[in-house]
Amino acid sequence: MTPRLVLVEDVYGVDFHKQLLTKLGYSKDMPRIERIPAKECNPALVRKVKAKLLRLGNPRDAKILVVLDTENQEPEHVKQRVLIHFRKDPHLNNRIQVVTVEPKHDTWLCIGLGLDPHQCKIIPEHLIARSRGLKSYSKEHLGKLARYMDPQKLAKQKDFEEYLEAIKWLTQDP
């Protein structure tokens, strides 16, 4: 079986994506989801990803999806900061996709909870806290609240559509 790996920015993103993929019907065919092992601009990224892939199987057959927040930067710029390192590796160059979340994962959570998409792109943490009766929002809520999301509410978001296409690519063999 092809080793499949989803890399996300932080530990809370791991739980978030597990919940999201379960809701999308991938619980039986769940790819391995881990925190990205180095900053996306770090040259050690490829070496560390290969080490992770060795634990999963043959790195030459691997498929990797990296999911990053844009943090209001140009999505293509964010993608290229990762892809530049993998282009140098002849085995992984064509086995990686990068998807960006605009501007951050909390936005998807906010929209998935049924809150106003436009406002979610500006102040997701505030909207989530207010709607859930939280004193304040912290990153740990990302994974905890994902189970209450409705992924269908994200269907019209361009970045989420790209994510769905990347997940489809990731889960298909070879």
Side-chain angles (χ1 to χ4, degrees), residues 7-67:
L7 297 172
V8 297
E9 289 183 88
D10 59 40
V11 69
Y12 304 113
V14 172
D15 292 337
F16 176 82
H17 284 275
K18 284 180 181 176
Q19 292 284 336
L20 182 55
L21 289 176
T22 297
K23 287 186 166 288
L24 291 169
Y26 290 100
S27 56
K28 186 178 180 188
D29 197 28
M30 181 82 65
R32 178 91 176 168
I33 304 170
E34 294 188 18
R35 185 177 179 277
I36 197 165
K39 289 286 187 190
E40 63 268 15
C41 54
N42 188 331
L45 178 61
V46 175
R47 180 176 44 81
K48 290 181 178 185
V49 168
K50 280 182 166 181
K52 286 182 176 294
L53 291 171
L54 279 171
R55 293 192 313 260
L56 298 176
N58 185 352
R60 292 176 184 257
D61 297 333
K63 285 185 169 183
I64 306 158
L65 171 61
V66 179
V67 186

Side-chain angles (χ1 to χ4, degrees), residues 2-147:
T2 301
R4 295 167 299 137
L5 184 61
V6 176
L7 297 172
V8 297
E9 289 183 88
D10 59 40
V11 69
Y12 304 113
V14 172
D15 292 337
F16 176 82
H17 284 275
K18 284 180 181 176
Q19 292 284 336
L20 182 55
L21 289 176
T22 297
K23 287 186 166 288
L24 291 169
Y26 290 100
S27 56
K28 186 178 180 188
D29 197 28
M30 181 82 65
R32 178 91 176 168
I33 304 170
E34 294 188 18
R35 185 177 179 277
I36 197 165
K39 289 286 187 190
E40 63 268 15
C41 54
N42 188 331
L45 178 61
V46 175
R47 180 176 44 81
K48 290 181 178 185
V49 168
K50 280 182 166 181
K52 286 182 176 294
L53 291 171
L54 279 171
R55 293 192 313 260
L56 298 176
N58 185 352
R60 292 176 184 257
D61 297 333
K63 285 185 169 183
I64 306 158
L65 171 61
V66 179
V67 186
L68 300 170
D69 295 342
T70 63
E71 297 287 349
N72 296 314
Q73 296 177 49
E74 182 62 36
E76 194 57 35
H77 173 72
V78 174
K79 290 177 185 181
Q80 292 307 317
R81 286 195 328 236
V82 171
L83 292 173
I84 193 168
H85 300 293
F86 285 90
R87 282 193 188 109
K88 299 172 187 173
D89 187 289
H91 303 295
L92 295 180
N93 180 27
N94 296 318
R95 301 211 161 262
I96 182 167
Q97 287 194 22
V98 179
V99 171
T100 56
V101 180
E102 297 180 48
K104 53 188 168 180
H105 280 75
D106 309 286
T107 302
W108 281 4
L109 175 62
C110 184
I111 295 169
L113 290 173
L115 304 173
D116 179 77
H118 178 71
Q119 290 296 309
C120 285
K121 290 184 184 265
I122 301 167
I123 52 170
E125 297 90 344
H126 175 74
L127 292 174
I128 295 167
R130 192 173 65 197
S131 75
R132 293 288 160 176
L134 303 170
K135 197 173 196 175
S136 65
Y137 177 86
S138 65
K139 272 296 201 187
E140 68 187 46
H141 288 108
L142 184 64
K144 290 180 179 179
L145 295 176
R147 71 178 137 229

